[in-house]
């Protein structure tokens, strides 16, 4: 998790509170790129937002080493504490909807069907995502719809493993017997402007889509690019009305530039790949036949998924092309 307060004093510009190891490496690598040392890292746990007269003026946190409760004040607080955000309910009116869970494990020394490519296995009743995270380790994410099975290891071994390709099956069985299984909810949260002065919310704390397409970080980083430009146009962070207006502009711009495409595509592809309905199964087959055509039929969707070309009209165009192929398949049958 990452929790950040922004202070206009250049002596300590950033205050970063509570982050995972991966987040810490990412943030510290980013901050090290700056020639000026304008940041100060505090490893601690934020327990609440500090408000006065409806305005967020800082945070209360517990120090990691001493467990001492302290407060830090700033004209702008940025909340980015992920999908399990403890502060979301104070800031966002929309409710999180969870339809399925990913159960993950790590396979060691597993072969790849094609180097530097992820694999999507369309198992029944839902898909399995496989991708390498290091030279030795490959992550497997098994989507489980509805309630979690009582014996997850048995479910993975008896129902999922037999459906996996040969080069994955044995490493997968070894990982579920000798490794660790971890689960996470696959949630959907539509974005909405924050109307509380003194605070911003970013990342999965603000907006979530199904992680099957891996669009979370792409959306978050593009959001940061927009805010970086909007920040430069603000007179100062004490001008709460200007910050709120910038927040409204932010939501309009992100929807046009990238979030609409990523959110719609993530939810649509998951519904398609996890389809149990016979009509959606026909559309899924048409989708793969469309990809087999190559050229723009592949590069276009990849440009959408990677957020390199997140144009809504391009998304709509490819959707109707898939529907057209679906119609041709039905006529041929």
């Amino acid at each position: 998790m990452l929790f950040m307060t922004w202070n206009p004093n250049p002596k300590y510009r950033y205050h970063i509170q509570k982050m995972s190891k991966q987040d810490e490496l990412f943030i510290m690598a980013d901050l090290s790129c700056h020639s000026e040392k304008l940041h100060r890292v505090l490893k601690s746990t934020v327990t609440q937002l500090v408000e006065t007269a409806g305005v967020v003026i800082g945070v209360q946190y517990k120090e990691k080493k001493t467990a001492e409760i302290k407060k830090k004040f700033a004209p702008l607080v940025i909340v980015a504490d992920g999908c399990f955000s403890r502060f979301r309910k104070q800031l966002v009116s929309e409710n999180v909807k969870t339809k399925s869970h990913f159960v993950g494990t790590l396979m060691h020394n597993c072969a790849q069907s094609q180097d530097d490519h992820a694999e999507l296995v369309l198992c029944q009743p839902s898909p399995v995502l496989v991708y390498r995270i290091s030279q030795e380790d490959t992550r497997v994410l098994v989507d489980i719809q509805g309630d979690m099975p009582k014996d997850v290891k048995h479910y993975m071994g008896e129902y999922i493993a037999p459906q996996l390709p040969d080069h994955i099956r044995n490493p997968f069985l070894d990982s579920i017997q000798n490794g660790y299984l971890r689960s996470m909810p696959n949630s959907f949260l539509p974005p909405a402007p924050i109307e509380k002065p003194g605070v911003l919310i970013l990342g999965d704390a603000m907006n979530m889509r199904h992680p099957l397409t891996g669009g979370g970080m792409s959306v978050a980083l593009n959001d940061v690019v927009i805010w970086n430009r909007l920040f430069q146009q603000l007179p100062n962070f004490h001008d709460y009305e200007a910050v709120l207006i910038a927040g409204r502009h932010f939501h309009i711009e992100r929807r046009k530039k990238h979030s609409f495409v990523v959110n719609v595509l993530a939810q649509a592809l998951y519904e398609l790949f996890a389809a149990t309905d016979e009509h959606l199964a026909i559309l899924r087959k048409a989708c793969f036949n469309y990809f087999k055509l190559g050229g723009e039929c592949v590069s276009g969707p990849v440009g959408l998924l990677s957020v390199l070309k997140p144009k809504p009209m391009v998304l709509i165009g490819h959707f109707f092309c898939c529907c057209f192929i679906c119609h041709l398949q039905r006529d041929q049958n």
Side-chain angles (χ1 to χ4, degrees), residues 56-122:
V56 176
I57 60 172
V59 296
Q60 177 179 289
Y61 65 96
K62 181 190 292 185
E63 282 199 336
K64 184 177 181 180
K65 292 183 178 179
T66 65
E68 184 181 356
I69 301 297
K70 293 184 176 182
K71 292 181 180 180
K72 187 70 68 175
F73 300 97
L76 183 63
V77 174
I78 300 174
V79 178
D81 57 342
C83 62
F84 299 108
S85 174
R86 66 192 303 175
F87 305 102
R88 181 189 292 124
K89 289 184 178 180
Q90 296 174 242
L91 305 171
V92 177
S93 58
E94 298 286 347
N95 293 320
V96 176
K97 298 178 181 178
T98 300
K99 187 173 182 179
S100 67
H101 288 75
F102 265 151
V103 175
T105 185
L106 279 182
M107 301 186 300
H108 301 292
N109 301 313
C110 178
Q112 287 185 296
S113 61
Q114 188 171 350
D115 290 342
D116 302 322
H117 282 70
E119 297 180 61
L120 179 66
V121 185
L122 298 182

Side-chain angles (χ1 to χ4, degrees), residues 83 96-103 120 125-129 141-146 184-190 204 207-219 259 261-275 305:
C83 62
V96 176
K97 298 178 181 178
T98 300
K99 187 173 182 179
S100 67
H101 288 75
F102 265 151
V103 175
L120 179 66
S126 49
V128 175
L129 188 60
L141 298 175
V142 178
D143 186 80
I144 298 179
Q145 300 183 44
M184 60 167 283
N186 295 328
S187 304
F188 175 71
L189 175 66
D204 283 350
N207 178 208
M208 289 186 285
R209 78 293 306 152
H210 197 283
L212 181 69
T213 57
M217 282 300 294
S218 298
V219 171
S259 68
V261 167
V262 178
N263 290 341
V264 170
L265 196 58
Q267 296 303 120
L269 286 179
Y270 174 70
E271 293 295 336
L272 197 63
F273 292 153
L305 282 170

Side-chain angles (χ1 to χ4, degrees), residues 233-288:
Q233 299 172 6
L234 295 174
N236 60 72
F237 296 115
H238 291 283
D239 189 339
Y240 297 127
E241 184 61 28
V243 175
L244 289 175
I245 292 173
R248 297 176 195 128
H249 286 301
F250 163 74
H251 278 273
I252 294 172
E253 187 171 344
R254 77 187 294 270
R255 184 169 63 246
K256 290 180 179 178
K257 286 192 171 181
H258 59 275
S259 68
F260 170 82
V261 167
V262 178
N263 290 341
V264 170
L265 196 58
Q267 296 303 120
L269 286 179
Y270 174 70
E271 293 295 336
L272 197 63
F273 292 153
T276 55
D277 180 270
E278 60 175 318
H279 300 294
L280 284 177
I282 294 172
L283 184 58
R284 179 175 61 198
K285 183 179 178 181
C287 181
F288 283 108

Side-chain angles (χ1 to χ4, degrees), residues 172-190:
F172 177 77
L173 288 170
D174 179 69
S175 69
I176 62 176
Q177 291 301 323
N178 303 311
Y180 295 98
L181 295 177
R182 292 187 173 90
S183 65
M184 60 167 283
N186 295 328
S187 304
F188 175 71
L189 175 66

